[in-house]
Amino acid sequence: MPRIISANLNGIRSAHKKGFFEWLATQDADYICVQELKAQEADMTEDFLRPHDYHGHFHYAEKKGYSGTGIYSRTAPDKHRIGFGCVEFDAEGRYTRCDFGDLTVISLYAPSGSSSPERQLAKFRFMEVFLPHLQELQAEGREIVICGDWNIAHKEIDLKNWKGNLKNSGFLPEERAWMTRIFDELGLVDVHRGLDPRPEQYTWWSNRGQAYAKNVGWRIDYHVATPGIAKCARTVSVYKDVKFSDHAPLIIDYER
């Protein structure tokens, strides 16, 4: 039963100090998608490149201490790719893809628009170019799981204070409609929500106030999958026992 984990690390060095890789050794995971490395190749020690004999592939941002994605896998992929063909966002290290047989695993870190109006416009540009890429992926006819921080809470159930965030990045009508298109028009599947329809299944909490302690969070980390592999999903959990980051790892077991 393949186990796939998605984890925004908010800095691989920071997560390492907080015990992420020790925890990873206990998880028996087949694929681990990480986001927000905040590191360049020169910063990556052997512990980061091949922890516990996992194979690692990474997409580093050109800007130091920013963004970055990666995939760890038990077995070496048949092939891997960094970037999805858009110069602007490939420079930000937002996309790592690995193929294993008929399965494609992708680690995605979608832009956040919360820091400035300029970044929100960049997020809209990302949405515009990434939707056609998803269609191209589907046309390959493979089973695909895209894990990562999409920086959008899709529905009211996906964040605690939805009424207060209707005009804020991450819960804007345009962003939510875009996610709806991915699920309803393209037919991709929100695997977590298919397994667990309960509220308060959050994966990110602001560092302000007591958001984590009070569970005032957002569900912005997803496994978005093609229907075939989505049907194989059996269990889902959000790991909160230890706080490695402002995000919590999202763990889904698939039966193939």
Side-chain angles (χ1 to χ4, degrees):
M1 179 181 287
R3 169 168 286 192
I4 306 179
I5 297 175
S6 184
N8 179 313
L9 302 180
N10 194 18
I12 192 169
R13 288 166 287 192
S14 172
H16 170 61
K17 291 176 183 176
K18 295 174 183 176
F20 175 76
F21 289 106
E22 286 86 349
W23 170 78
L24 192 59
T26 70
Q27 289 305 295
D28 196 28
D30 297 274
Y31 312 104
I32 306 99
C33 297
V34 291
Q35 302 89 40
E36 214 169 348
L37 300 174
K38 293 185 174 179
Q40 269 62 42
E41 189 170 7
D43 303 313
M44 299 287 282
T45 65
E46 190 68 14
D47 289 343
F48 298 166
L49 294 169
R50 288 187 61 86
H52 315 299
D53 291 326
Y54 278 104
H55 299 264
H57 293 86
F58 308 96
H59 186 196
Y60 307 108
E62 293 177 5
K63 180 180 176 182
K64 287 188 175 182
Y66 181 73
S67 191
T69 53
I71 296 175
Y72 295 108
S73 59
R74 283 193 185 283
T75 58
D78 301 324
K79 61 181 180 179
H80 78 278
R81 169 183 174 180
I82 59 171
F84 65 96
C86 175
V87 173
E88 177 181 3
F89 299 108
D90 288 353
E92 297 181 351
R94 297 191 175 276
Y95 183 101
T96 302
R97 167 180 173 167
C98 291
D99 293 349
F100 308 88
D102 67 345
L103 175 65
T104 291
V105 178
I106 294 168
S107 182
L108 175 71
Y109 179 40
S112 169
S114 60
S115 62
S116 69
E118 291 76 20
R119 288 310 299 168
Q120 184 61 45
L121 290 174
K123 186 176 187 178
F124 286 144
R125 289 195 299 273
F126 172 85
M127 291 159 53
E128 186 176 345
V129 296
F130 198 66
L131 196 71
H133 176 68
L134 291 174
Q135 293 172 314
E136 292 170 8
L137 280 174
Q138 284 184 293
E140 294 184 29
R142 301 173 56 79
E143 294 297 349
I144 301 164
V145 182
I146 306 169
C147 297
D149 177 1
W150 291 66
N151 265 310
I152 298 171
H154 183 212
K155 296 185 176 180
E156 294 170 2
I157 194 176
D158 294 323
L159 71 168
K160 186 77 168 183
N161 183 21
W162 66 267
K163 289 182 180 178
N165 282 288
L166 289 167
K167 296 182 179 180
N168 290 337
S169 180
F171 200 58
L172 295 174
E174 303 98 315
E175 297 170 338
R176 298 169 61 201
W178 183 77
M179 292 294 288
T180 296
R181 289 188 66 190
I182 289 171
F183 300 133
D184 291 359
E185 290 183 24
L186 302 189
L188 296 173
V189 179
D190 179 351
V191 182
H192 181 179
R193 191 49 83 202
L195 289 170
D196 190 347
R198 297 176 301 162
E200 301 193 353
Q201 299 298 297
Y202 308 132
T203 62
W204 175 81
W205 300 261
S206 169
N207 287 321
R208 297 174 184 171
Q210 297 291 312
Y212 189 78
K214 296 178 180 178
N215 199 27
V216 180
W218 296 54
R219 190 178 74 95
I220 57 176
D221 301 85
Y222 297 78
H223 287 204
V224 174
T226 46
I229 185 72
K231 289 176 184 176
C232 298
R234 294 294 178 264
T235 63
V236 60
S237 60
V238 178
Y239 181 80
K240 294 179 62 181
D241 292 353
V242 180
K243 194 170 186 282
F244 307 120
S245 161
D246 52 350
H247 293 251
L250 175 61
I251 306 164
I252 298 183
D253 291 321
Y254 298 83
E255 191 173 81
R256 295 198 82 199

